[in-house]
Amino acid sequence: MTTEALGAAVEELLRPVIGTALSGGAGGAAALEPLVREVLGALAEGAARRGGPVAAASPADLARGVADTFGAARGTEALGRLTELLAHGSADPADPACAAHLHCPPLAVAVAADLAVSALNPSQDSWDQAPAATVLETLLLEEMAGLVGYDPAEAAGVLTSGGTESNLMGLMLARDRVLGAATGRQIELTGVPRAGAGGSLGSAAGARPRILASAAAHFSVQRAAALLGLGEDAVIPVAVDSQLRMKTGALTAALERCAERGQLPVAIVATAGTTDTGAIDPLRECAELAARYGAWLHVDAAYGGGALLSDRLAPLLDGIELADSVSLDWHKLGWQPAAAGIFLVRKSETYASLARRAVYLNPADDEEAGYPSLLGLSLRTTRRADAFKIAVTLRTLGREGLGRLVDACHELAVAGARAVAAHPRLELHGQAGAGEPVLTAFLFRYVPGALASADADADAVRADEVNAALRRRLLREGGAVVGRTELPGEGPGRVRLKLTLLNPHTTVVEVERLLAAVVAAGMAEEGA
């Protein structure tokens, strides 16, 4: 078959196929324009039909509606119908009554920037797939290193999918550096030494590795320990105070017990912004103890890192600059569409065990000729240019503009917590100062009217049941999306509701209205 015939055959194959226009190239923008208009219209229609923070439906009813529309959507109607379905069936973090999770409403400018990335589809695993994006990510990471307090000339980092990936990377480097130094092995090559009798690794220099993290630390710490071959049991939970911050004395005692038992403290994980209350561990004290015991200090600032944008709240993270590695998530308190995680190390040489050479992506002679690669900085190969939307946002609003958003959400949380404390049917969980939130989240519960009986355990069980049920009632009726968690400890009476306020445009009146909806739902459950 001739070249002309082959070309004609390809054209004939594509002619009857709908939607084959590409988003890139000289004609990409023109192809996207009508489709983007259709998506925007469908988003508006779906949000109007939803009419609140979440669709009023049971999970089963919603699933049936999704299945029906998915089955019926075909051809040119598919984009509009499925987009409207998604908008109608989504929990909308831009709604003032959607305040359960670290699930931010993204800034429109960040979403627009993300559209450009999706259209061009650069991949960060080699320079020749992302020339400009490679440079932009490097420049952004230098700014982020400076924001944390690192020397940008000595630090290194990468964009990640979020705190879970960043925490895994931090603990991987901790394992390789600390356990490697103790055993004289290159752990990333030989693996974790096998435990001998009595749980040791078979030599005094290779004592059983341990990771110390607060009892309120993110569950990804245990997951990382499992993935790294250390086992979830290697994570020692350290007691927290009434504000859910790690107790320095308890951490010291845990480290001393490790020394007495011949165990090796590979890492201390300090949390800067717990998911429930935004509590921040004593970072400077953690750094001092890590240095004393030869442990790597990783700070999980996926939530609390946003405080670095605020002149008022940045001092809460005093000592973060002493950490060996840090996790940040700008899709939490940074108003970016997911994913927008950042992982940083204070010293670039500590990144050595992640370095990789793939001859089809980053051959040595290319790098020597001035074509840089980010491949050896990430656990992933194909990777979106997620730095771009953050870079656009920073250049649009600046640190000061983003800091104002952080401050607005913090003030909103303070006002909400005070409203809870003043309500006779609501009980605020004690936090820093006069019960005020550290960042933008706080815990509370609805107090059933039948409490204060002679049976305290029965009252506690009843309170847990009513609070869990009222949250589901609000979801079912489409009235609100409120978080639910449990305080550390054992036994009943630990269920708490949670508001995580990440919409800087929400008003105090709207928060008070949300709390009134919680009380009304609680009273309805009591009468059910």
Side-chain angles (χ1 to χ4, degrees):
M1 184 179 290
T2 66
T3 301
E4 292 78 4
L6 281 172
V10 171
E11 289 181 9
E12 184 61 30
L13 282 172
L14 294 180
R15 185 173 292 116
V17 182
I18 297 169
T20 60
L22 302 180
S23 62
L32 274 173
E33 186 175 3
L35 299 174
V36 170
R37 284 200 303 268
E38 184 175 3
V39 165
L40 294 176
L43 286 173
E45 291 172 9
R49 187 158 65 92
R50 184 182 65 241
V54 68
S58 69
D61 288 341
L62 182 66
R64 278 191 292 270
V66 171
D68 290 345
T69 303
F70 178 66
R74 290 288 188 274
T76 56
E77 293 184 350
L79 177 62
R81 291 192 65 180
L82 292 178
T83 301
E84 182 181 343
L85 169 73
L86 180 66
H88 170 261
S90 290
D92 182 6
D95 191 291
C98 187
H101 302 286
L102 288 165
H103 176 204
C104 73
L107 294 165
V109 67
V111 174
D114 213 30
L115 172 62
V117 171
S118 293
L120 295 167
N121 205 30
S123 181
Q124 299 295 87
D125 49 312
S126 66
W127 186 93
D128 58 1
Q129 296 177 84
T134 295
V135 180
L136 274 173
E137 178 165 325
T138 303
L139 293 172
L140 175 71
L141 289 167
E142 289 176 357
E143 285 200 15
M144 293 297 100
L147 184 68
V148 166
Y150 288 167
D151 180 348
E154 296 183 353
V158 74
L159 270 288
T160 71
S161 59
T164 295
E165 182 184 349
S166 296
N167 290 345
L168 173 62
M169 292 180 71
L171 291 175
M172 176 182 174
L173 295 179
R175 180 200 66 176
D176 295 346
R177 297 284 294 187
V178 179
L179 186 55
T183 61
R185 303 186 184 202
Q186 197 169 348
I187 302 300
E188 68 272 20
L189 296 182
T190 65
V192 177
R194 183 177 300 174
S200 73
L201 293 172
S203 71
R208 183 176 181 184
R210 293 292 197 181
I211 297 167
L212 295 94
S214 88
H218 196 262
F219 68 86
S220 60
V221 175
Q222 280 80 5
R223 178 177 286 177
L227 289 171
L228 293 171
L230 304 177
E232 292 193 22
D233 287 345
V235 180
I236 299 175
V238 179
V240 295
D241 60 20
S242 61
Q243 300 171 30
L244 304 188
R245 302 191 317 159
M246 190 186 326
K247 293 181 178 179
T248 304
L251 176 60
T252 303
L255 288 164
E256 290 175 350
R257 284 194 297 272
C258 285
E260 292 167 0
R261 296 169 182 172
Q263 298 170 343
L264 180 67
V266 168
I268 296 170
V269 179
T271 305
T274 57
T275 54
D276 283 345
T277 65
I280 298 172
D281 291 335
L283 304 182
R284 188 166 293 277
E285 291 87 343
C286 287
E288 292 170 357
L289 287 168
R292 185 187 309 171
Y293 286 87
W296 178 283
L297 176 62
H298 175 70
V299 174
D300 177 2
Y303 175 22
L308 295 170
L309 299 167
S310 162
D311 289 338
R312 182 197 309 171
L313 299 180
L316 294 171
L317 273 65
D318 174 57
I320 194 172
E321 71 280 2
L322 303 174
D324 295 291
S325 57
V326 172
S327 301
L328 304 170
D329 274 6
W330 297 127
H331 54 249
K332 292 183 171 69
L333 204 55
W335 298 281
Q336 300 296 299
I342 290 177
F343 173 72
L344 295 167
V345 294
R346 182 162 49 90
K347 300 291 184 181
S348 59
E349 60 265 26
T350 63
Y351 233 114
S353 62
L354 267 172
R356 287 294 178 271
R357 179 78 62 195
V359 293
Y360 72 102
L361 291 174
N362 62 341
D365 56 323
D366 268 7
E367 293 195 347
E368 290 167 2
Y371 293 83
S373 169
L374 305 181
L375 179 67
L377 297 172
S378 178
L379 293 176
R380 293 176 286 163
T381 305
T382 301
R383 188 164 59 82
R384 289 183 88 248
D386 289 317
F388 182 71
K389 60 198 174 194
I390 306 175
V392 168
T393 302
L394 278 171
R395 286 298 176 268
T396 301
L397 280 77
R399 177 180 176 272
E400 181 183 0
L402 285 167
R404 288 176 179 272
L405 301 184
V406 173
D407 289 342
C409 289
H410 176 247
E411 290 177 1
L412 193 66
V414 169
R418 289 175 179 173
V420 166
H423 200 290
R425 300 301 295 272
L426 298 175
E427 178 183 274
L428 180 67
H429 175 72
Q431 297 187 11
E436 293 189 348
V438 179
L439 296 172
T440 67
F442 59 88
L443 301 182
F444 67 104
R445 67 173 176 170
Y446 171 80
V447 182
L451 292 187
S453 70
D455 189 341
D457 285 342
D459 283 351
V461 169
R462 177 61 176 156
D464 285 351
E465 291 174 345
V466 170
N467 278 273
L470 77 83
R471 174 181 167 274
R472 291 190 292 270
R473 174 183 287 269
L474 289 168
L475 286 172
R476 189 169 61 250
E477 296 176 349
V481 185
V482 176
R484 175 249 173 94
T485 189
E486 294 184 13
L487 299 177
E490 301 292 336
R494 295 181 296 114
V495 171
R496 292 294 183 275
L497 303 176
K498 175 174 64 170
L499 292 191
T500 308
L501 299 167
L502 295 179
N503 184 345
H505 298 293
T506 297
T507 66
V508 173
V509 170
E510 287 168 330
V511 174
E512 291 173 344
R513 191 179 300 143
L514 172 56
L515 294 172
V518 169
V519 172
M523 295 177 71
E525 282 300 321
E526 286 193 84

